[in-house]
Amino acid sequence: MWLPVLALVTIQTQFDGGSLGRIEKVSETHFRLGVKGDKDQDGRNRQANWYYFRVDGASGKELTLDIVDLPGEYNYKANEGAITKDTPPVISYDGSHWRHVESFEYDPAEPKLRLRVKPEGSRFWIAHVAPYTNETLARLRHEIEGNPEFREEKIGKSVGGRDLVLWTIGRGHRKKTVWLMFRQHSWETGSSWAGEGAVRELLANAALRRDVTWKIIPLCDPDGVARGGVRFNLNGYDLNRNWDVVDAVKMPEITAERGAVKRWLDQGGRVDLFLSLHNTETVEYLEGPPAGHRELARRFYELLVERTTFFPSRELSFASETTTAGMKGRMTVIQGLYKDWKLPGFLMEQRISYNGKLKRLPLPEDRMRFGAELARAVHTLVSAP
Ligand SMILES: [Zn+2]
């Protein structure tokens, strides 16, 4: 057996959800790590915030890891990037338990985020936020698939041929129906952790299923999650912008999801509330439909503030008709659902930075707890007379 006298530090991304752009070795213990970033179908709207990598051979060496290549564009406006002093990454030594990196500095001039890591072991993982991969979802599904209150339908296939699924929790046609949608954007893992928390609560708490049927789209972009993407599908389409476009080839994900809602409505099903859950770096808010449903929106917002760790950075707001006037392919899911069927669609953003209610940077257990709180709050909302 050959044993190296001095192990070299190596950086890997060849695993589910792993991602980095260029890797530059400045010295044996100093690396510059480019964030790969995602661009849309026209090469615009670059968003560079998802990175997830593994370091090996790190034992006993203090490492300097510079996260670079951050600037991007959002809704066609240039920015310095989403990664700042407010968004330290998470670190794990076993690939499943995560905490935030404590020693870091942000240099707005480059811009770059410099991490200083004194490794507690020779191998560790670092990511923008705690990963939630297709495999994580498959483990949840495996755990709950025998439950008679749980049913899965395949509603289509992604560009990359992965199954798109719809989960139903609660048997039969209940009076009220709530739709919950998670992970339209692949970097937003907090959405999935909250989704898992909601699903577990709905299966554990029979009172939540007595008068409400729950339709859940647990993961909208399985290809993006697998490739370590940021916000576009394999063809470059933003899955929360193209709800005014019908194109089953370029964006089969949206076609499948809208088709599932349409089939439900065509069968006489109700949609008492539709919520899509997202993450941002520093803002947190609830946005209601472009028109109508104002009283429902107000009560929803109040319940979330009172009963959950939702900590809004602004008042309740309402979506405009589209995100970019005069341009096709710019409607979010709630804008599209309102245009087509006047549905009460809501979009929630939750920040990954410091949450003043939690009094810390959110971790998976906080998201899961929020998911359970969300399920209970929504149940209270829609089951009110
Ligand atoms: Zn999003």
Side-chain angles (χ1 to χ4, degrees):
M1 194 166 84
W2 178 82
L3 288 168
V5 175
L6 183 70
L8 288 178
V9 175
T10 61
I11 295 179
Q12 306 289 336
T13 58
Q14 299 303 310
F15 50 85
D16 203 13
S19 177
L20 271 180
R22 69 194 169 95
I23 299 174
E24 188 190 329
K25 189 171 179 174
V26 180
S27 75
E28 287 305 324
T29 57
H30 182 187
F31 293 81
R32 282 170 57 84
L33 306 172
V35 179
K36 194 172 182 185
D38 246 9
K39 290 177 186 167
D40 69 14
Q41 73 276 11
D42 302 321
R44 297 295 302 271
N45 293 307
R46 176 179 196 258
Q47 187 173 338
N49 61 352
W50 178 251
Y51 55 95
Y52 176 22
F53 56 88
R54 190 182 76 229
V55 178
D56 288 295
S59 222
K61 302 169 185 134
E62 181 173 336
L63 301 181
T64 301
L65 305 172
D66 292 336
I67 309 292
V68 299
D69 295 343
L70 310 181
E73 197 177 51
Y74 185 75
N75 286 342
Y76 301 97
K77 289 192 183 79
N79 62 49
E80 285 301 286
I83 291 169
T84 66
K85 65 174 175 33
D86 297 318
T87 63
V90 289
I91 184 167
S92 173
Y93 288 90
D94 62 5
S96 63
H97 296 84
W98 300 90
R99 57 187 155 86
H100 287 90
V101 170
E102 281 164 16
S103 182
F104 62 92
E105 61 212 63
Y106 175 67
D107 171 11
E110 184 173 346
K112 69 166 179 278
L113 185 66
R114 171 165 287 180
L115 315 174
R116 294 183 197 279
V117 181
K118 282 183 194 159
E120 292 166 15
S122 68
R123 166 177 285 191
F124 61 89
W125 288 259
I126 283 195
H128 184 47
V129 281
Y132 191 108
T133 63
N134 289 305
E135 203 183 304
T136 321
L137 186 75
R139 278 203 296 271
L140 171 66
R141 183 189 175 282
H142 183 69
E143 198 185 314
I144 66 180
E145 67 188 341
N147 192 314
E149 297 285 337
F150 169 81
R151 191 159 55 85
E152 178 179 278
E153 293 162 66
K154 292 183 171 56
I155 57 172
K157 292 223 186 262
S158 67
V159 174
R162 292 185 170 85
D163 284 334
L164 299 163
V165 298
L166 171 68
W167 290 356
T168 301
I169 295 180
R171 280 181 286 187
H173 277 257
R174 303 302 206 280
K175 212 170 124 214
K176 302 284 175 73
T177 307
V178 169
W179 285 68
L180 301 177
M181 173 180 257
F182 300 98
R183 208 72 181 276
Q184 286 186 289
H185 295 136
S186 51
W187 84 265
E188 297 165 11
T189 65
S191 171
S192 286
W193 288 112
E196 175 159 338
V199 165
R200 289 184 183 282
E201 177 67 8
L202 292 170
L203 288 170
N205 189 341
L208 302 179
R209 307 188 303 265
R210 201 164 296 136
D211 48 359
V212 180
T213 297
W214 301 81
K215 306 293 257 184
I216 291 163
I217 301 175
L219 206 159
C220 296
D221 184 13
D223 297 343
V225 169
R227 73 184 169 87
V230 178
R231 68 178 292 127
F232 305 115
N233 80 353
L234 271 187
N235 290 327
Y237 290 92
D238 188 326
L239 298 181
N240 196 33
R241 284 296 183 279
N242 288 280
W243 280 74
D244 54 336
V245 178
V246 179
D247 192 326
V249 175
K250 288 177 178 160
M251 45 195 108
E253 297 86 359
I254 295 176
T255 304
E257 293 150 13
R258 188 181 18 226
V261 175
K262 184 175 188 311
R263 274 194 301 282
W264 176 253
L265 293 169
D266 287 349
Q267 290 161 17
R270 314 162 48 110
V271 178
D272 293 278
L273 185 122
F274 186 106
L275 172 68
S276 179
L277 185 60
H278 290 251
N279 293 120
T280 76
E281 270 69 19
T282 54
V283 296
E284 183 148 328
Y285 60 85
L286 180 73
E287 187 179 76
H293 310 292
R294 291 312 194 241
E295 179 58 15
L296 179 77
R298 193 188 57 73
R299 282 192 290 122
F300 188 23
Y301 182 85
E302 278 173 8
L303 276 168
L304 289 168
V305 168
E306 274 168 29
R307 301 190 187 183
T308 78
T309 55
F310 175 59
F311 189 59
S313 54
R314 69 184 202 212
E315 290 298 307
L316 172 66
S317 59
F318 294 94
S320 46
E321 262 176 50
T322 173
T323 59
T324 313
M327 198 174 161
K328 204 145 175 67
R330 301 300 298 166
M331 279 194 192
T332 66
V333 57
I334 68 171
Q335 290 166 334
L337 294 177
Y338 191 80
K339 179 174 84 73
D340 290 345
W341 301 296
K342 305 279 182 276
L343 295 187
F346 291 83
L347 190 140
M348 183 191 288
E349 294 282 1
Q350 290 197 295
R351 62 167 87 67
I352 64 163
S353 55
Y354 183 84
N355 176 309
K357 256 189 199 173
L358 292 167
K359 303 212 184 311
R360 61 167 167 165
L361 293 154
L363 285 167
E365 51 268 36
D366 301 308
R367 301 298 186 198
M368 301 253 286
R369 191 181 91 187
F370 170 76
E373 293 169 345
L374 173 71
R376 295 193 297 266
V378 168
H379 178 264
T380 300
L381 177 70
V382 301
S383 55

